[in-house]
Amino acid sequence: MNQKFPGVYMVDGQIATENSVPGYRVYDEKLLKQQNREYRLWDPFRSKLAAAILKGLRTLPINRDSNVLYLGASTGTTASHIADITKRYVYCVEVSQRMMRELLPVCRNKNNMLPILGDAKHPESYAPMIGPVDVVYQDVAQKNQAEILLRNMDYYKAKYALLSIKARSISSVKDPRQVFREELGLLRQRYDVVETIDLKPYDKDHVMASVRARK
Ligand SMILES: C[S@@+](CC[C@H](N)C(=O)[O-])C[C@H]1O[C@@H](n2cnc3c(N)ncnc32)[C@H](O)[C@@H]1O
């Protein structure tokens, strides 16, 4: 077992996080015990952050002291691994009531995950529910993904973000490379794009962008 980033490990050749609630599974992931600790294997085909890490993400802006605003939490697959990495809060914003029903039991078990039924396009609408934000993690299948991220980073004055860009949600006719150029161009007008990772073969036509506020 070796550490890839604080809180992220390679266990038997697979990526994993240390389970903050031993014995508890979120999506039928495998649990492995090593040296009195329990690890949850992190499936890169189910989680774009795991895919980005395996594809060579150089810096993970999330650490044990990060408060994370997670936009598009769905049923909590990736958010639950982030909740293993940080000891602070993961604010899980999800617009779909159906997804929220499945997310709620996960948040009851992982007590640093806070569920928020809300629309990521309106960051002010969930402000009363959340505290300071260090990192925004966004994975919403919407047309204006960069714009939504910028609104949230600006509103919460976040220093870092990870944005999963899904080309096909933005345009089904444009060349995905063109879509990525346009979305990244919007981000670069005001923030630094530190690195971009193509998520193939785990996800087709997806890029993960790591974004940082200018000093
Ligand atoms: C690809 S899934 C996210 C998967 C999740 N990030 C994971 O890795 O476990 C996208 C989610 O974004 C949600 N979503 C779409 N538009 C949204 C919006 N405007 N605000 C909040 N959530 C949204 C969808 O309901 C869906 O659950």
PDB file of all heavy atoms in Angstrom, residues 46-49 70-80 93-97 99 116 118-122 126 137-142 148 164 166 206, ligand 1:
ATOM      1  N   ARG A  46     -16.679   4.426 -12.411  1.00  0.00           N
ATOM      2  CA  ARG A  46     -17.852   5.014 -11.748  1.00  0.00           C
ATOM      3  C   ARG A  46     -17.567   6.429 -11.258  1.00  0.00           C
ATOM      4  O   ARG A  46     -18.491   7.148 -10.887  1.00  0.00           O
ATOM      5  CB  ARG A  46     -18.239   4.160 -10.520  1.00  0.00           C
ATOM      6  CG  ARG A  46     -18.517   2.689 -10.818  1.00  0.00           C
ATOM      7  CD  ARG A  46     -19.937   2.444 -11.260  1.00  0.00           C
ATOM      8  NE  ARG A  46     -20.946   2.926 -10.328  1.00  0.00           N
ATOM      9  CZ  ARG A  46     -21.510   2.172  -9.390  1.00  0.00           C
ATOM     10  NH1 ARG A  46     -21.155   0.917  -9.234  1.00  0.00           N
ATOM     11  NH2 ARG A  46     -22.447   2.686  -8.609  1.00  0.00           N
ATOM     12  N   SER A  47     -16.294   6.817 -11.202  1.00  0.00           N
ATOM     13  CA  SER A  47     -15.937   8.111 -10.614  1.00  0.00           C
ATOM     14  C   SER A  47     -14.888   8.817 -11.470  1.00  0.00           C
ATOM     15  O   SER A  47     -13.787   8.293 -11.677  1.00  0.00           O
ATOM     16  CB  SER A  47     -15.377   7.912  -9.206  1.00  0.00           C
ATOM     17  OG  SER A  47     -14.793   9.115  -8.743  1.00  0.00           O
ATOM     18  N   LYS A  48     -15.235  10.016 -11.940  1.00  0.00           N
ATOM     19  CA  LYS A  48     -14.297  10.739 -12.825  1.00  0.00           C
ATOM     20  C   LYS A  48     -13.073  11.229 -12.061  1.00  0.00           C
ATOM     21  O   LYS A  48     -12.008  11.398 -12.649  1.00  0.00           O
ATOM     22  CB  LYS A  48     -15.025  11.888 -13.512  1.00  0.00           C
ATOM     23  CG  LYS A  48     -16.026  11.355 -14.504  1.00  0.00           C
ATOM     24  CD  LYS A  48     -17.018  12.384 -14.968  1.00  0.00           C
ATOM     25  CE  LYS A  48     -18.227  11.688 -15.550  1.00  0.00           C
ATOM     26  NZ  LYS A  48     -19.450  11.977 -14.829  1.00  0.00           N
ATOM     27  N   LEU A  49     -13.213  11.428 -10.756  1.00  0.00           N
ATOM     28  CA  LEU A  49     -12.027  11.858 -10.003  1.00  0.00           C
ATOM     29  C   LEU A  49     -11.023  10.699  -9.894  1.00  0.00           C
ATOM     30  O   LEU A  49      -9.818  10.897 -10.061  1.00  0.00           O
ATOM     31  CB  LEU A  49     -12.424  12.379  -8.617  1.00  0.00           C
ATOM     32  CG  LEU A  49     -11.281  12.921  -7.766  1.00  0.00           C
ATOM     33  CD1 LEU A  49     -10.456  13.971  -8.508  1.00  0.00           C
ATOM     34  CD2 LEU A  49     -11.796  13.492  -6.450  1.00  0.00           C
ATOM     35  N   TYR A  70     -19.662  20.307  -3.481  1.00  0.00           N
ATOM     36  CA  TYR A  70     -19.763  19.299  -4.537  1.00  0.00           C
ATOM     37  C   TYR A  70     -21.053  19.529  -5.322  1.00  0.00           C
ATOM     38  O   TYR A  70     -22.150  19.361  -4.789  1.00  0.00           O
ATOM     39  CB  TYR A  70     -19.760  17.896  -3.899  1.00  0.00           C
ATOM     40  CG  TYR A  70     -19.532  16.787  -4.896  1.00  0.00           C
ATOM     41  CD1 TYR A  70     -18.452  15.934  -4.784  1.00  0.00           C
ATOM     42  CD2 TYR A  70     -20.402  16.590  -5.962  1.00  0.00           C
ATOM     43  CE1 TYR A  70     -18.230  14.926  -5.709  1.00  0.00           C
ATOM     44  CE2 TYR A  70     -20.189  15.584  -6.889  1.00  0.00           C
ATOM     45  CZ  TYR A  70     -19.111  14.764  -6.751  1.00  0.00           C
ATOM     46  OH  TYR A  70     -18.901  13.761  -7.670  1.00  0.00           O
ATOM     47  N   LEU A  71     -20.923  19.902  -6.595  1.00  0.00           N
ATOM     48  CA  LEU A  71     -22.086  20.217  -7.424  1.00  0.00           C
ATOM     49  C   LEU A  71     -22.396  19.036  -8.341  1.00  0.00           C
ATOM     50  O   LEU A  71     -21.552  18.644  -9.155  1.00  0.00           O
ATOM     51  CB  LEU A  71     -21.807  21.477  -8.247  1.00  0.00           C
ATOM     52  CG  LEU A  71     -21.370  22.703  -7.435  1.00  0.00           C
ATOM     53  CD1 LEU A  71     -20.929  23.837  -8.356  1.00  0.00           C
ATOM     54  CD2 LEU A  71     -22.506  23.152  -6.516  1.00  0.00           C
ATOM     55  N   GLY A  72     -23.585  18.471  -8.189  1.00  0.00           N
ATOM     56  CA  GLY A  72     -23.960  17.279  -8.970  1.00  0.00           C
ATOM     57  C   GLY A  72     -23.560  16.026  -8.222  1.00  0.00           C
ATOM     58  O   GLY A  72     -22.903  15.144  -8.760  1.00  0.00           O
ATOM     59  N   ALA A  73     -23.975  15.924  -6.959  1.00  0.00           N
ATOM     60  CA  ALA A  73     -23.505  14.839  -6.080  1.00  0.00           C
ATOM     61  C   ALA A  73     -24.109  13.493  -6.455  1.00  0.00           C
ATOM     62  O   ALA A  73     -23.562  12.449  -6.083  1.00  0.00           O
ATOM     63  CB  ALA A  73     -23.826  15.167  -4.629  1.00  0.00           C
ATOM     64  N   SER A  74     -25.251  13.503  -7.153  1.00  0.00           N
ATOM     65  CA  SER A  74     -25.931  12.264  -7.540  1.00  0.00           C
ATOM     66  C   SER A  74     -26.132  11.379  -6.304  1.00  0.00           C
ATOM     67  O   SER A  74     -26.549  11.867  -5.256  1.00  0.00           O
ATOM     68  CB  SER A  74     -25.136  11.576  -8.648  1.00  0.00           C
ATOM     69  OG  SER A  74     -25.863  10.490  -9.153  1.00  0.00           O
ATOM     70  N   THR A  75     -25.800  10.090  -6.393  1.00  0.00           N
ATOM     71  CA  THR A  75     -26.051   9.199  -5.262  1.00  0.00           C
ATOM     72  C   THR A  75     -24.840   9.096  -4.323  1.00  0.00           C
ATOM     73  O   THR A  75     -24.811   8.252  -3.439  1.00  0.00           O
ATOM     74  CB  THR A  75     -26.428   7.788  -5.772  1.00  0.00           C
ATOM     75  OG1 THR A  75     -25.380   7.339  -6.644  1.00  0.00           O
ATOM     76  CG2 THR A  75     -27.728   7.816  -6.550  1.00  0.00           C
ATOM     77  N   GLY A  76     -23.835   9.930  -4.567  1.00  0.00           N
ATOM     78  CA  GLY A  76     -22.749  10.049  -3.590  1.00  0.00           C
ATOM     79  C   GLY A  76     -21.517   9.197  -3.841  1.00  0.00           C
ATOM     80  O   GLY A  76     -20.646   9.110  -2.975  1.00  0.00           O
ATOM     81  N   THR A  77     -21.401   8.605  -5.033  1.00  0.00           N
ATOM     82  CA  THR A  77     -20.243   7.734  -5.298  1.00  0.00           C
ATOM     83  C   THR A  77     -18.924   8.485  -5.066  1.00  0.00           C
ATOM     84  O   THR A  77     -18.140   8.134  -4.168  1.00  0.00           O
ATOM     85  CB  THR A  77     -20.308   7.201  -6.754  1.00  0.00           C
ATOM     86  OG1 THR A  77     -21.529   6.481  -6.897  1.00  0.00           O
ATOM     87  CG2 THR A  77     -19.139   6.286  -7.067  1.00  0.00           C
ATOM     88  N   THR A  78     -18.684   9.529  -5.860  1.00  0.00           N
ATOM     89  CA  THR A  78     -17.415  10.265  -5.734  1.00  0.00           C
ATOM     90  C   THR A  78     -17.389  11.090  -4.446  1.00  0.00           C
ATOM     91  O   THR A  78     -16.358  11.151  -3.752  1.00  0.00           O
ATOM     92  CB  THR A  78     -17.209  11.181  -6.953  1.00  0.00           C
ATOM     93  OG1 THR A  78     -17.220  10.368  -8.129  1.00  0.00           O
ATOM     94  CG2 THR A  78     -15.893  11.936  -6.874  1.00  0.00           C
ATOM     95  N   ALA A  79     -18.531  11.708  -4.115  1.00  0.00           N
ATOM     96  CA  ALA A  79     -18.571  12.558  -2.913  1.00  0.00           C
ATOM     97  C   ALA A  79     -18.168  11.758  -1.674  1.00  0.00           C
ATOM     98  O   ALA A  79     -17.504  12.275  -0.772  1.00  0.00           O
ATOM     99  CB  ALA A  79     -19.966  13.161  -2.751  1.00  0.00           C
ATOM    100  N   SER A  80     -18.537  10.468  -1.633  1.00  0.00           N
ATOM    101  CA  SER A  80     -18.217   9.663  -0.443  1.00  0.00           C
ATOM    102  C   SER A  80     -16.709   9.401  -0.340  1.00  0.00           C
ATOM    103  O   SER A  80     -16.174   9.306   0.770  1.00  0.00           O
ATOM    104  CB  SER A  80     -18.993   8.348  -0.467  1.00  0.00           C
ATOM    105  OG  SER A  80     -18.563   7.523  -1.542  1.00  0.00           O
ATOM    106  N   VAL A  93     -24.551  19.190  -3.315  1.00  0.00           N
ATOM    107  CA  VAL A  93     -25.691  19.824  -3.987  1.00  0.00           C
ATOM    108  C   VAL A  93     -26.170  18.907  -5.120  1.00  0.00           C
ATOM    109  O   VAL A  93     -25.371  18.478  -5.956  1.00  0.00           O
ATOM    110  CB  VAL A  93     -25.301  21.211  -4.550  1.00  0.00           C
ATOM    111  CG1 VAL A  93     -26.475  21.825  -5.300  1.00  0.00           C
ATOM    112  CG2 VAL A  93     -24.827  22.126  -3.419  1.00  0.00           C
ATOM    113  N   GLU A  94     -27.452  18.634  -5.118  1.00  0.00           N
ATOM    114  CA  GLU A  94     -28.029  17.763  -6.148  1.00  0.00           C
ATOM    115  C   GLU A  94     -29.433  18.282  -6.467  1.00  0.00           C
ATOM    116  O   GLU A  94     -30.197  18.601  -5.577  1.00  0.00           O
ATOM    117  CB  GLU A  94     -28.065  16.317  -5.623  1.00  0.00           C
ATOM    118  CG  GLU A  94     -28.776  15.323  -6.484  1.00  0.00           C
ATOM    119  CD  GLU A  94     -28.316  15.296  -7.948  1.00  0.00           C
ATOM    120  OE1 GLU A  94     -27.128  15.112  -8.212  1.00  0.00           O
ATOM    121  OE2 GLU A  94     -29.183  15.471  -8.831  1.00  0.00           O
ATOM    122  N   VAL A  95     -29.744  18.377  -7.788  1.00  0.00           N
ATOM    123  CA  VAL A  95     -31.021  18.974  -8.189  1.00  0.00           C
ATOM    124  C   VAL A  95     -32.141  17.941  -8.272  1.00  0.00           C
ATOM    125  O   VAL A  95     -33.320  18.294  -8.155  1.00  0.00           O
ATOM    126  CB  VAL A  95     -30.844  19.709  -9.551  1.00  0.00           C
ATOM    127  CG1 VAL A  95     -30.843  18.747 -10.726  1.00  0.00           C
ATOM    128  CG2 VAL A  95     -31.864  20.814  -9.744  1.00  0.00           C
ATOM    129  N   SER A  96     -31.777  16.668  -8.445  1.00  0.00           N
ATOM    130  CA  SER A  96     -32.811  15.654  -8.684  1.00  0.00           C
ATOM    131  C   SER A  96     -33.287  15.026  -7.371  1.00  0.00           C
ATOM    132  O   SER A  96     -32.479  14.509  -6.585  1.00  0.00           O
ATOM    133  CB  SER A  96     -32.234  14.578  -9.619  1.00  0.00           C
ATOM    134  OG  SER A  96     -32.852  13.339  -9.380  1.00  0.00           O
ATOM    135  N   GLN A  97     -34.606  15.051  -7.176  1.00  0.00           N
ATOM    136  CA  GLN A  97     -35.164  14.478  -5.937  1.00  0.00           C
ATOM    137  C   GLN A  97     -34.923  12.977  -5.888  1.00  0.00           C
ATOM    138  O   GLN A  97     -34.710  12.408  -4.820  1.00  0.00           O
ATOM    139  CB  GLN A  97     -36.656  14.757  -5.878  1.00  0.00           C
ATOM    140  CG  GLN A  97     -36.956  16.225  -5.791  1.00  0.00           C
ATOM    141  CD  GLN A  97     -38.297  16.512  -5.148  1.00  0.00           C
ATOM    142  OE1 GLN A  97     -38.948  15.621  -4.648  1.00  0.00           O
ATOM    143  NE2 GLN A  97     -38.698  17.771  -5.177  1.00  0.00           N
ATOM    144  N   MET A  99     -32.336  11.289  -7.130  1.00  0.00           N
ATOM    145  CA  MET A  99     -30.949  11.040  -6.693  1.00  0.00           C
ATOM    146  C   MET A  99     -30.817  11.352  -5.205  1.00  0.00           C
ATOM    147  O   MET A  99     -30.136  10.644  -4.463  1.00  0.00           O
ATOM    148  CB  MET A  99     -29.963  11.906  -7.480  1.00  0.00           C
ATOM    149  CG  MET A  99     -29.929  11.622  -8.955  1.00  0.00           C
ATOM    150  SD  MET A  99     -29.519   9.903  -9.240  1.00  0.00           S
ATOM    151  CE  MET A  99     -29.931   9.750 -10.940  1.00  0.00           C
ATOM    152  N   ILE A 116     -27.836  18.741   0.081  1.00  0.00           N
ATOM    153  CA  ILE A 116     -28.549  19.991  -0.209  1.00  0.00           C
ATOM    154  C   ILE A 116     -29.301  19.808  -1.520  1.00  0.00           C
ATOM    155  O   ILE A 116     -28.687  19.610  -2.575  1.00  0.00           O
ATOM    156  CB  ILE A 116     -27.558  21.172  -0.334  1.00  0.00           C
ATOM    157  CG1 ILE A 116     -26.852  21.401   1.006  1.00  0.00           C
ATOM    158  CG2 ILE A 116     -28.286  22.438  -0.789  1.00  0.00           C
ATOM    159  CD1 ILE A 116     -25.658  22.329   0.928  1.00  0.00           C
ATOM    160  N   GLY A 118     -30.707  21.335  -4.392  1.00  0.00           N
ATOM    161  CA  GLY A 118     -30.570  22.682  -4.945  1.00  0.00           C
ATOM    162  C   GLY A 118     -30.056  22.641  -6.364  1.00  0.00           C
ATOM    163  O   GLY A 118     -29.634  21.597  -6.867  1.00  0.00           O
ATOM    164  N   ASP A 119     -30.082  23.825  -6.984  1.00  0.00           N
ATOM    165  CA  ASP A 119     -29.672  23.955  -8.380  1.00  0.00           C
ATOM    166  C   ASP A 119     -28.343  24.707  -8.427  1.00  0.00           C
ATOM    167  O   ASP A 119     -28.257  25.868  -7.994  1.00  0.00           O
ATOM    168  CB  ASP A 119     -30.765  24.738  -9.130  1.00  0.00           C
ATOM    169  CG  ASP A 119     -30.473  24.805 -10.621  1.00  0.00           C
ATOM    170  OD1 ASP A 119     -29.303  24.649 -11.028  1.00  0.00           O
ATOM    171  OD2 ASP A 119     -31.434  25.032 -11.375  1.00  0.00           O
ATOM    172  N   ALA A 120     -27.305  24.037  -8.977  1.00  0.00           N
ATOM    173  CA  ALA A 120     -25.962  24.617  -9.006  1.00  0.00           C
ATOM    174  C   ALA A 120     -25.892  25.931  -9.781  1.00  0.00           C
ATOM    175  O   ALA A 120     -24.935  26.695  -9.633  1.00  0.00           O
ATOM    176  CB  ALA A 120     -24.989  23.605  -9.618  1.00  0.00           C
ATOM    177  N   LYS A 121     -26.923  26.205 -10.599  1.00  0.00           N
ATOM    178  CA  LYS A 121     -26.913  27.468 -11.356  1.00  0.00           C
ATOM    179  C   LYS A 121     -27.164  28.663 -10.444  1.00  0.00           C
ATOM    180  O   LYS A 121     -26.975  29.808 -10.855  1.00  0.00           O
ATOM    181  CB  LYS A 121     -28.020  27.425 -12.416  1.00  0.00           C
ATOM    182  CG  LYS A 121     -27.731  26.464 -13.528  1.00  0.00           C
ATOM    183  CD  LYS A 121     -28.862  26.560 -14.561  1.00  0.00           C
ATOM    184  CE  LYS A 121     -28.926  25.308 -15.372  1.00  0.00           C
ATOM    185  NZ  LYS A 121     -30.277  24.846 -15.627  1.00  0.00           N
ATOM    186  N   HIS A 122     -27.649  28.395  -9.228  1.00  0.00           N
ATOM    187  CA  HIS A 122     -28.006  29.505  -8.323  1.00  0.00           C
ATOM    188  C   HIS A 122     -27.257  29.372  -6.999  1.00  0.00           C
ATOM    189  O   HIS A 122     -27.844  28.961  -5.985  1.00  0.00           O
ATOM    190  CB  HIS A 122     -29.518  29.514  -8.089  1.00  0.00           C
ATOM    191  CG  HIS A 122     -30.294  29.591  -9.354  1.00  0.00           C
ATOM    192  ND1 HIS A 122     -30.288  30.705 -10.156  1.00  0.00           N
ATOM    193  CD2 HIS A 122     -31.055  28.665  -9.990  1.00  0.00           C
ATOM    194  CE1 HIS A 122     -31.029  30.483 -11.221  1.00  0.00           C
ATOM    195  NE2 HIS A 122     -31.510  29.259 -11.160  1.00  0.00           N
ATOM    196  N   TYR A 126     -28.249  28.235  -1.970  1.00  0.00           N
ATOM    197  CA  TYR A 126     -27.886  27.295  -0.897  1.00  0.00           C
ATOM    198  C   TYR A 126     -26.885  27.891   0.094  1.00  0.00           C
ATOM    199  O   TYR A 126     -26.430  27.206   1.005  1.00  0.00           O
ATOM    200  CB  TYR A 126     -27.402  25.944  -1.452  1.00  0.00           C
ATOM    201  CG  TYR A 126     -26.599  25.985  -2.743  1.00  0.00           C
ATOM    202  CD1 TYR A 126     -25.229  26.171  -2.724  1.00  0.00           C
ATOM    203  CD2 TYR A 126     -27.232  25.843  -3.973  1.00  0.00           C
ATOM    204  CE1 TYR A 126     -24.501  26.206  -3.895  1.00  0.00           C
ATOM    205  CE2 TYR A 126     -26.504  25.879  -5.155  1.00  0.00           C
ATOM    206  CZ  TYR A 126     -25.138  26.063  -5.115  1.00  0.00           C
ATOM    207  OH  TYR A 126     -24.419  26.106  -6.279  1.00  0.00           O
ATOM    208  N   TYR A 137     -16.037  21.118  -6.464  1.00  0.00           N
ATOM    209  CA  TYR A 137     -15.952  19.971  -7.366  1.00  0.00           C
ATOM    210  C   TYR A 137     -17.256  19.953  -8.151  1.00  0.00           C
ATOM    211  O   TYR A 137     -18.339  19.938  -7.557  1.00  0.00           O
ATOM    212  CB  TYR A 137     -15.799  18.664  -6.574  1.00  0.00           C
ATOM    213  CG  TYR A 137     -15.629  17.464  -7.485  1.00  0.00           C
ATOM    214  CD1 TYR A 137     -14.371  16.990  -7.813  1.00  0.00           C
ATOM    215  CD2 TYR A 137     -16.737  16.816  -8.039  1.00  0.00           C
ATOM    216  CE1 TYR A 137     -14.207  15.907  -8.667  1.00  0.00           C
ATOM    217  CE2 TYR A 137     -16.580  15.742  -8.900  1.00  0.00           C
ATOM    218  CZ  TYR A 137     -15.318  15.288  -9.197  1.00  0.00           C
ATOM    219  OH  TYR A 137     -15.154  14.219 -10.056  1.00  0.00           O
ATOM    220  N   GLN A 138     -17.156  19.983  -9.480  1.00  0.00           N
ATOM    221  CA  GLN A 138     -18.392  20.064 -10.270  1.00  0.00           C
ATOM    222  C   GLN A 138     -18.465  18.969 -11.319  1.00  0.00           C
ATOM    223  O   GLN A 138     -17.550  18.791 -12.115  1.00  0.00           O
ATOM    224  CB  GLN A 138     -18.491  21.429 -10.951  1.00  0.00           C
ATOM    225  CG  GLN A 138     -19.789  21.577 -11.744  1.00  0.00           C
ATOM    226  CD  GLN A 138     -19.890  22.918 -12.442  1.00  0.00           C
ATOM    227  OE1 GLN A 138     -19.692  23.962 -11.817  1.00  0.00           O
ATOM    228  NE2 GLN A 138     -20.207  22.889 -13.721  1.00  0.00           N
ATOM    229  N   ASP A 139     -19.592  18.281 -11.319  1.00  0.00           N
ATOM    230  CA  ASP A 139     -19.852  17.233 -12.321  1.00  0.00           C
ATOM    231  C   ASP A 139     -21.349  17.262 -12.621  1.00  0.00           C
ATOM    232  O   ASP A 139     -22.105  16.434 -12.120  1.00  0.00           O
ATOM    233  CB  ASP A 139     -19.419  15.870 -11.754  1.00  0.00           C
ATOM    234  CG  ASP A 139     -19.642  14.729 -12.735  1.00  0.00           C
ATOM    235  OD1 ASP A 139     -19.872  14.997 -13.925  1.00  0.00           O
ATOM    236  OD2 ASP A 139     -19.574  13.564 -12.299  1.00  0.00           O
ATOM    237  N   VAL A 140     -21.780  18.275 -13.375  1.00  0.00           N
ATOM    238  CA  VAL A 140     -23.199  18.378 -13.739  1.00  0.00           C
ATOM    239  C   VAL A 140     -23.312  18.319 -15.266  1.00  0.00           C
ATOM    240  O   VAL A 140     -22.530  18.941 -15.968  1.00  0.00           O
ATOM    241  CB  VAL A 140     -23.880  19.673 -13.216  1.00  0.00           C
ATOM    242  CG1 VAL A 140     -23.870  19.720 -11.702  1.00  0.00           C
ATOM    243  CG2 VAL A 140     -23.254  20.919 -13.774  1.00  0.00           C
ATOM    244  N   ALA A 141     -24.277  17.537 -15.737  1.00  0.00           N
ATOM    245  CA  ALA A 141     -24.452  17.419 -17.185  1.00  0.00           C
ATOM    246  C   ALA A 141     -25.330  18.582 -17.646  1.00  0.00           C
ATOM    247  O   ALA A 141     -26.546  18.454 -17.756  1.00  0.00           O
ATOM    248  CB  ALA A 141     -25.093  16.075 -17.501  1.00  0.00           C
ATOM    249  N   GLN A 142     -24.703  19.740 -17.866  1.00  0.00           N
ATOM    250  CA  GLN A 142     -25.444  20.947 -18.270  1.00  0.00           C
ATOM    251  C   GLN A 142     -24.727  21.585 -19.456  1.00  0.00           C
ATOM    252  O   GLN A 142     -23.559  21.301 -19.705  1.00  0.00           O
ATOM    253  CB  GLN A 142     -25.481  21.949 -17.107  1.00  0.00           C
ATOM    254  CG  GLN A 142     -26.349  21.530 -15.948  1.00  0.00           C
ATOM    255  CD  GLN A 142     -27.831  21.678 -16.214  1.00  0.00           C
ATOM    256  OE1 GLN A 142     -28.237  22.406 -17.119  1.00  0.00           O
ATOM    257  NE2 GLN A 142     -28.648  20.971 -15.447  1.00  0.00           N
ATOM    258  N   ILE A 148     -21.321  27.834 -14.862  1.00  0.00           N
ATOM    259  CA  ILE A 148     -21.843  27.430 -13.543  1.00  0.00           C
ATOM    260  C   ILE A 148     -20.694  27.382 -12.533  1.00  0.00           C
ATOM    261  O   ILE A 148     -20.810  27.852 -11.402  1.00  0.00           O
ATOM    262  CB  ILE A 148     -22.562  26.060 -13.640  1.00  0.00           C
ATOM    263  CG1 ILE A 148     -23.828  26.177 -14.481  1.00  0.00           C
ATOM    264  CG2 ILE A 148     -22.896  25.523 -12.254  1.00  0.00           C
ATOM    265  CD1 ILE A 148     -24.517  24.846 -14.787  1.00  0.00           C
ATOM    266  N   SER A 164     -15.365  18.605 -14.137  1.00  0.00           N
ATOM    267  CA  SER A 164     -15.476  17.555 -15.147  1.00  0.00           C
ATOM    268  C   SER A 164     -16.301  18.132 -16.300  1.00  0.00           C
ATOM    269  O   SER A 164     -17.461  18.499 -16.108  1.00  0.00           O
ATOM    270  CB  SER A 164     -16.152  16.338 -14.518  1.00  0.00           C
ATOM    271  OG  SER A 164     -16.659  15.526 -15.529  1.00  0.00           O
ATOM    272  N   LYS A 166     -18.155  17.579 -19.731  1.00  0.00           N
ATOM    273  CA  LYS A 166     -18.714  16.533 -20.592  1.00  0.00           C
ATOM    274  C   LYS A 166     -19.102  17.186 -21.908  1.00  0.00           C
ATOM    275  O   LYS A 166     -20.086  17.944 -21.972  1.00  0.00           O
ATOM    276  CB  LYS A 166     -19.930  15.914 -19.900  1.00  0.00           C
ATOM    277  CG  LYS A 166     -20.585  14.819 -20.699  1.00  0.00           C
ATOM    278  CD  LYS A 166     -21.753  14.229 -19.941  1.00  0.00           C
ATOM    279  CE  LYS A 166     -22.416  13.146 -20.762  1.00  0.00           C
ATOM    280  NZ  LYS A 166     -23.583  12.579 -20.088  1.00  0.00           N
ATOM    281  N   HIS A 206     -14.702  13.327 -22.154  1.00  0.00           N
ATOM    282  CA  HIS A 206     -14.710  14.039 -20.874  1.00  0.00           C
ATOM    283  C   HIS A 206     -13.293  14.525 -20.573  1.00  0.00           C
ATOM    284  O   HIS A 206     -12.331  13.776 -20.780  1.00  0.00           O
ATOM    285  CB  HIS A 206     -15.080  13.118 -19.710  1.00  0.00           C
ATOM    286  CG  HIS A 206     -16.528  12.913 -19.527  1.00  0.00           C
ATOM    287  ND1 HIS A 206     -17.274  12.086 -20.335  1.00  0.00           N
ATOM    288  CD2 HIS A 206     -17.387  13.404 -18.591  1.00  0.00           C
ATOM    289  CE1 HIS A 206     -18.525  12.078 -19.914  1.00  0.00           C
ATOM    290  NE2 HIS A 206     -18.620  12.874 -18.854  1.00  0.00           N
TER     291      HIS A 206
HETATM  292  C1  LIG B   1     -22.836  12.617 -13.943  1.00  0.00           C
HETATM  293  S1  LIG B   1     -23.889  12.755 -12.564  1.00  0.00           S
HETATM  294  C2  LIG B   1     -22.772  12.991 -11.230  1.00  0.00           C
HETATM  295  C3  LIG B   1     -22.046  11.774 -10.759  1.00  0.00           C
HETATM  296  C4  LIG B   1     -21.297  12.059  -9.470  1.00  0.00           C
HETATM  297  N1  LIG B   1     -20.546  13.279  -9.587  1.00  0.00           N
HETATM  298  C5  LIG B   1     -20.338  10.959  -9.054  1.00  0.00           C
HETATM  299  O1  LIG B   1     -19.222  10.901  -9.568  1.00  0.00           O
HETATM  300  O2  LIG B   1     -20.703  10.182  -8.163  1.00  0.00           O
HETATM  301  C6  LIG B   1     -24.528  14.382 -12.752  1.00  0.00           C
HETATM  302  C7  LIG B   1     -25.482  14.793 -11.637  1.00  0.00           C
HETATM  303  O3  LIG B   1     -25.677  16.199 -11.736  1.00  0.00           O
HETATM  304  C8  LIG B   1     -27.008  16.473 -11.366  1.00  0.00           C
HETATM  305  N2  LIG B   1     -27.334  17.810 -11.873  1.00  0.00           N
HETATM  306  C9  LIG B   1     -27.625  18.178 -13.152  1.00  0.00           C
HETATM  307  N3  LIG B   1     -27.863  19.498 -13.225  1.00  0.00           N
HETATM  308  C10 LIG B   1     -27.719  19.987 -11.963  1.00  0.00           C
HETATM  309  C11 LIG B   1     -27.835  21.274 -11.389  1.00  0.00           C
HETATM  310  N4  LIG B   1     -28.146  22.340 -12.139  1.00  0.00           N
HETATM  311  N5  LIG B   1     -27.613  21.424 -10.067  1.00  0.00           N
HETATM  312  C12 LIG B   1     -27.287  20.356  -9.290  1.00  0.00           C
HETATM  313  N6  LIG B   1     -27.167  19.094  -9.779  1.00  0.00           N
HETATM  314  C13 LIG B   1     -27.374  18.916 -11.100  1.00  0.00           C
HETATM  315  C14 LIG B   1     -27.798  15.336 -11.991  1.00  0.00           C
HETATM  316  O4  LIG B   1     -29.069  15.188 -11.404  1.00  0.00           O
HETATM  317  C15 LIG B   1     -26.867  14.151 -11.752  1.00  0.00           C
HETATM  318  O5  LIG B   1     -27.178  13.496 -10.549  1.00  0.00           O
END
